[in-house]
Structure formats: structure tokens, C-alpha cells
Amino acid sequence: MDDYNKIIESLGIRFIQTSNIKVLKPVKVEDFYDIENTIIILNRGKLVFGDDGESIGAGDILFIPGGKLTNLIFSEDGRTDLGKEDGSMKSTNYFEPFSEPFDTVEIDNYSYVSFEAKVFDSVSFFSSLDITPFAIRNKPDIVDLVRRISDEQNSQLSGRARVIKNYTDQIVIEVIRYILDNHLFVEQLATNSTYFKDPRLLSIFAYIRQNLNGDLTNKKLASVANVSEDYVGQYFKMLTGINPQDYIEYQRMELAVNLLRTSQSSIREIGREVGYKDTAYFCRRFKMMFGIPAGKMRRRESLMNV
């Protein structure tokens, strides 16, 4: 347990956004994806998620780790299916934000908070554990924290950002406690949390994050970790389960998604900024990873950004 205390103390947690959303029509969002972690509180209705069709009801919580794809079905009867290329786009036909008290809304609705949680500001904690989206039940304290964040965000009170930061920190700790208390993802935790204790690997993570458009060959990573070039790939995979170049590509593509959503840079410029000199190759790899072209990712908005 002391190891997890050290991990929690090392986490850099950043609030991203929150909103309350009405579900105007039954709809399935295929392969919902966001680079940030997302907590969804279902206030009213039914939400089915994942390949196995697990469902949550009013008062339950769905946690989606950053970078994990999942299907989301809001109210199955007579639904419309939104495919991969438009499944997360901004659509007033299906979703609408609201500001009135959630318990006065008479149609299906949910609240959400998205956030970042990185160990030593280097690697996304929940993504690195390789855990799947999961339901959290009977946790009114987390539900209350999400609603408090929403209230603060909609207020003009002084110190609002600091209060939201504190509530977001509490949410992350409560999610970790829920995982540990309910013995969820035991194998993933045992396998994938060990490398948070290795300073050489953390140095590699930090270097990659700071140099995504630079030299990230195994030779360079070996010099950062002070291990041999022949060994660095084996060393990295032994601790993380993936080889360093696959990890680097994921980090580059994660940054590319963020830039597509938040900047006006061209796809060529974004490709170069994340380390791809060949725009055509960048576009091929992007579509292979996310299932849609980079241009379509730019035009669609996250389901949570309605």
C-alpha cells in the first residue's frame, strides 16, 4: 500500500473541463475516444458501454481512462448509430448542455468531468495501467464531487479554480481507492505499476515528453537512461510491456490529437511538430491508430464538448 501512496503523491492532476448534458434522442456512439480521463455520472436514464454491453443506471459512474476506445449507448430503443468517423462529433441533434438543476430535467442526462493525471508529469497514470473503462457503483462521494465541480465552474466565486483543483484531486484518489478496495485489475496493477519506481525509466519518459519532435532513437534513449543501445529496447519493454518506439508513436499521436482540437496549424505543421517530416506517412499512421483521417478528427468535437 505504501507504494501506491508514493504514486499518488507523485501524480500531477489537472482539471480539463466539465458539463451537464441532455440526451435528446437515443443514440449509440461507436468507439468514443478522448485523450483525457473522463468520469461520467448518469443522472437519469441508462447507459450501456463496452463490447460486453455492461450497463449503468441513474447515480452510477462510468470511468473511461484516457486513450481507451469504448462504445456508448444512451437509451437503446429506436437509437441512431453514429459510426467511427462522426461518433464523437458535436451534434445538437443528440446532445445539449444545460445549466438548470439536474433533478429538474425530465429527460435522460449526464454530468461529466475530464482530467489529466500524470506520474512525475511524464506518463498518463490510468492509460499506462492498460485498464479498460469500468463502472463505479455506490460511490455517492464521487458523484457529489462531480456535481460540486460543475457548480463551481458555473459560479463566479473567488478561488473557483483552486476549489475545482482540490475536488479533482479528490476524485482521482477516490477512483484509485475504488480500484484497490474492489481488487480490480489486479494483474495490470501488479505488472504495470512497477516502472513508476524506476528512476532511469522515468528519465526516459520525461525526455520523450519534452522532445517529441526530436531525436528519439534507441541510441538517444540509451544515453538518457545510461544503459547500452542494445539493451534499452529490452529494458523498456521488460518494465512497460511495450517497446519504446511504439510508446513514442502513441505519445506523438496523443499530442497530434490535442493540437488538431486546439490549434489552427495545418496537418502538415502538426505532423512536423510531433516528429513526422513526411505528412503522408503521418496521415497513414494517424488513420491506422484512430480509424479516421486526421482531418476528420479536427472537424469532429469530443462528445463531451457539446
Side-chain angles (χ1 to χ4, degrees):
M1 191 61 67
D2 187 54
D3 287 340
Y4 292 111
N5 287 331
K6 292 178 181 177
I7 290 171
I8 289 170
E9 289 301 315
S10 74
L11 286 177
I13 299 167
R14 185 169 66 93
F15 166 78
I16 305 297
Q17 61 187 355
T18 186
S19 191
N20 302 311
I21 306 293
K22 294 177 182 177
V23 181
L24 303 180
K25 299 178 183 178
V27 62
K28 175 183 179 181
V29 180
E30 183 179 349
D31 286 348
F32 166 75
Y33 173 90
D34 207 331
I35 59 175
E36 313 297 352
N37 306 288
T38 303
I39 285 271
I40 298 175
I41 307 294
L42 193 64
N43 298 318
R44 178 170 177 157
K46 178 182 178 183
L47 171 59
V48 178
F49 69 95
D51 295 335
D52 297 332
E54 185 175 354
S55 66
I56 64 172
D60 290 336
I61 301 163
L62 173 61
F63 179 69
I64 307 175
K68 291 296 182 180
L69 296 171
T70 189
N71 297 326
L72 301 175
I73 302 174
F74 296 91
S75 306
E76 292 191 80
D77 296 337
R79 76 181 191 226
T80 298
D81 289 2
L82 302 181
K84 290 182 180 179
E85 297 197 0
D86 60 358
S88 295
M89 66 182 178
K90 183 176 181 179
S91 176
T92 55
N93 292 327
Y94 301 98
F95 304 102
E96 179 182 88
F98 68 92
S99 57
E100 61 264 38
F102 74 92
D103 53 359
T104 67
V105 178
E106 296 183 353
I107 62 174
D108 293 0
N109 67 92
Y110 63 90
S111 304
Y112 80 90
V113 167
S114 62
F115 61 88
E116 178 183 272
K118 291 190 173 181
V119 179
F120 298 113
D121 294 323
S122 298
V123 59
S124 296
F125 175 66
F126 293 106
S127 301
S128 68
L129 295 178
D130 196 28
I131 61 178
T132 56
F134 64 94
I136 299 176
R137 307 180 196 276
N138 301 314
K139 289 294 289 184
D141 45 350
I142 297 180
V143 174
D144 182 61
L145 287 166
V146 170
R147 291 173 180 163
R148 285 173 180 263
I149 288 174
S150 178
D151 289 344
E152 285 289 332
Q153 185 75 349
N154 293 326
S155 78
Q156 298 300 319
L157 297 173
S158 58
R160 179 180 65 174
R162 183 65 176 270
V163 171
I164 288 175
K165 170 66 166 62
N166 290 340
Y167 288 154
T168 306
D169 287 352
Q170 287 182 255
I171 285 176
V172 173
I173 292 170
E174 290 299 332
V175 170
I176 294 173
R177 286 177 174 176
Y178 185 87
I179 291 171
L180 296 175
D181 291 346
N182 291 275
H183 307 290
L184 302 178
F185 310 112
V186 174
E187 184 176 343
Q188 291 95 321
L189 285 172
T191 301
N192 298 326
S193 65
T194 55
Y195 58 77
F196 294 134
K197 311 177 191 85
D198 190 303
R200 292 180 299 176
L201 190 60
L202 291 173
S203 296
I204 293 178
F205 283 141
Y207 184 83
I208 290 172
R209 179 174 57 86
Q210 296 162 8
N211 297 275
L212 282 173
N213 65 346
D215 179 8
L216 293 176
T217 59
N218 279 7
K219 181 177 181 180
K220 184 61 182 179
L221 299 182
S223 68
V224 170
N226 196 28
V227 298
S228 72
E229 182 180 353
D230 292 337
Y231 177 63
V232 70
Q234 178 185 344
Y235 163 75
F236 191 97
K237 187 170 184 177
M238 177 178 65
L239 292 177
T240 68
I242 58 174
N243 69 59
Q245 296 308 314
D246 286 344
Y247 174 80
I248 289 165
E249 182 169 53
Y250 176 80
Q251 295 302 312
R252 283 174 165 163
M253 290 302 180
E254 184 180 76
L255 177 58
V257 170
N258 186 53
L259 292 171
L260 285 165
R261 289 178 173 174
T262 60
S263 79
Q264 298 301 313
S265 301
S266 69
I267 291 175
R268 178 187 296 273
E269 290 169 335
I270 289 173
R272 288 183 176 276
E273 188 167 346
V274 300
Y276 293 87
K277 295 180 181 179
D278 185 333
T279 304
Y281 179 71
F282 165 67
C283 290
R284 286 197 303 273
R285 295 302 300 171
F286 189 97
K287 185 172 184 181
M288 183 176 294
M289 182 167 289
F290 298 113
I292 64 171
K296 284 188 177 290
M297 178 68 81
R298 156 158 277 165
R299 290 193 293 271
R300 77 181 193 169
E301 297 284 344
S302 167
L303 169 67
M304 302 306 163
N305 291 335
V306 176

